Amino acid sequence: MGRRARRRPRLTLTELADTVHQATQDLGLRSFHLLGSTLGGDVALNVALDHPERVASLVLDTPGTFHEGADPSPGNITPEEALAKVRVHPEREPVFVPPDPDSQARMFALISRLQGANPDYSKQIAERLPELSVRTLVVFGEKDGLIPPRNGRTFARLVPDCSFVLLHDAAHDVQGDRAEDLGALVADFLAHGPDFQLPPDATLVTP
């Protein structure tokens, strides 16, 4: 008689963050720079909030923590609509190939489950952000069609040491649309440490 497969427990964002933190300990890292993209931004943010003494700096690339004005049912969009929301330049390497409808539905269902596991998640995170002591860079694509870029301003308003940048000519997949510019921006942020500054009235990086 076959052994019944054990179902893996459904992880929460907090548990995912704990897994990342444990991995850094297993690697022997005393401190580290941390970058998280989209859902990974939520995970990275939780690591920084719970272990600020170990995170040297934090980069959040289109984080999904706050999604005011976002489509409440993103899983119902077609792959073609998803492409328009995610990439301005799908032809750039790596060329973006929209997921098949089934894969897309599973992806959005996972995101919805993680975010819906705690209906008050965004509110609770917002209450903790003023205590975040980690130097933070938040980046959004100006034409993000999944998470309205104005949500990045919530971080800029609440996090004591936060720079918020909008990248021109980029959508949700900033790394796909403007990889070199994002890389240069992050490198500058890391290299200058506390001296990294943006002009007070300039939150748009143009080509």
Side-chain angles (χ1 to χ4, degrees), residues 140-163:
F140 271 84
E142 180 194 20
K143 299 179 181 179
D144 192 323
L146 291 181
I147 304 175
R150 68 175 181 268
N151 286 283
R153 299 191 182 279
T154 302
F155 292 95
R157 178 170 53 86
L158 296 176
V159 177
D161 188 0
C162 179
S163 297

Side-chain angles (χ1 to χ4, degrees), residues 101-197:
D102 289 340
S103 297
Q104 178 177 288
R106 288 195 298 270
M107 176 183 67
F108 282 119
L110 170 64
I111 294 173
S112 178
R113 180 185 68 75
L114 288 171
Q115 293 178 337
N118 180 0
D120 295 324
Y121 172 75
S122 295
K123 179 181 178 182
Q124 293 169 356
I125 290 295
E127 291 173 347
R128 296 186 65 188
L129 287 183
E131 305 171 1
L132 182 59
S133 58
V134 178
R135 195 170 58 91
T136 304
L137 172 65
V138 177
V139 183
F140 271 84
E142 180 194 20
K143 299 179 181 179
D144 192 323
L146 291 181
I147 304 175
R150 68 175 181 268
N151 286 283
R153 299 191 182 279
T154 302
F155 292 95
R157 178 170 53 86
L158 296 176
V159 177
D161 188 0
C162 179
S163 297
F164 169 49
V165 176
L166 284 172
L167 276 177
H168 176 67
D169 204 32
H172 187 71
D173 182 9
V174 175
Q175 296 185 41
D177 275 330
R178 296 190 59 181
E180 292 183 0
D181 298 292
L182 177 63
L185 177 66
V186 173
D188 190 49
F189 175 72
L190 297 179
H192 286 84
D195 295 328
F196 175 83
Q197 291 184 346

Side-chain angles (χ1 to χ4, degrees), residues 28 57 62 120:
S57 62
T62 60
D120 295 324

Side-chain angles (χ1 to χ4, degrees), residues 29-124:
L29 302 178
R30 293 185 178 181
S31 66
F32 47 87
H33 302 285
L34 187 58
L35 185 151
S37 297
T38 60
L39 180 62
D42 270 342
V43 176
L45 178 60
N46 275 272
V47 174
L49 284 167
D50 292 339
H51 308 281
E53 73 287 350
R54 303 194 64 224
V55 181
S57 62
L58 176 68
V59 179
L60 303 177
D61 168 19
T62 60
T65 311
F66 307 105
H67 37 271
E68 180 182 352
D71 185 346
S73 302
N76 296 329
I77 63 177
T78 67
E80 291 74 21
E81 290 171 331
L83 173 58
K85 292 175 179 291
V86 170
R87 289 285 289 273
V88 174
H89 297 285
E91 77 284 356
R92 291 180 180 171
E93 295 290 343
V95 175
F96 183 83
V97 179
D100 67 82
D102 289 340
S103 297
Q104 178 177 288
R106 288 195 298 270
M107 176 183 67
F108 282 119
L110 170 64
I111 294 173
S112 178
R113 180 185 68 75
L114 288 171
Q115 293 178 337
N118 180 0
D120 295 324
Y121 172 75
S122 295
K123 179 181 178 182
Q124 293 169 356

